[in-house]
Amino acid sequence: MSAHLGSRGVSKLVFSHDRIRQAAYEMSSSVSTTAIHYNIAGRYLGRYSLALQQEHILEFIEHLNASRTFFIDQGKSEELAKYNLWAAQRALQSKVYELAMTHYNMALELL
């Protein structure tokens, strides 16, 4: 997703995937941003097998982290920690060390 900024802030959102756009637009405007991110992350998780989730985790980890309160409220903080560990490992493989540290730290916070 990218945002095009106008003089008053975000004027247009552009989504990279049709299903993500669909998930965002299906959400009511009264729904919190956290719920929107949770819904988008759920679409990614439902789209990929476990192996592909690990491979593509960097595509949607920010949506998972933006919905952290939902994971915590549902007692699933360890699950979110696992996703952050996967993201850290993928970032490390790609030699993006700062991003890897960010996700390792997030995983530790959640445990």
Side-chain angles (χ1 to χ4, degrees):
M1 178 179 83
S2 63
H4 299 284
L5 299 178
S7 60
R8 294 185 178 169
V10 177
S11 59
K12 181 179 179 183
L13 295 175
V14 179
F15 294 90
S16 59
H17 299 287
D18 289 337
R19 289 189 182 242
I20 295 171
R21 179 178 47 238
Q22 178 185 359
Y25 290 144
E26 284 176 358
M27 303 295 293
S28 169
S29 61
S30 64
V31 175
S32 73
T33 304
T34 303
I36 292 171
H37 284 290
Y38 187 77
N39 189 294
I40 292 170
R43 298 260 180 171
Y44 273 107
L45 291 171
R47 176 180 174 192
Y48 295 128
S49 67
L50 184 63
L52 288 176
Q53 287 174 10
Q54 290 177 300
E55 185 178 329
H56 293 278
I57 189 67
L58 292 176
E59 293 177 16
F60 58 92
I61 189 64
E62 294 307 319
H63 293 294
L64 290 165
N65 287 334
S67 59
R68 177 172 48 175
T69 56
F70 280 174
F71 282 89
I72 293 169
D73 291 348
Q74 295 176 10
K76 296 181 178 183
S77 58
E78 287 182 13
E79 182 178 348
L80 184 55
K82 173 187 73 175
Y83 293 132
N84 274 280
L85 180 59
W86 290 353
Q89 292 167 339
R90 292 295 293 165
L92 194 59
Q93 289 171 352
S94 300
K95 296 182 174 38
V96 185
Y97 302 114
E98 187 174 335
L99 184 61
M101 286 305 300
T102 298
H103 291 298
Y104 278 129
N105 288 330
M106 178 67 76
L108 285 172
E109 286 178 28
L110 290 161
L111 295 175

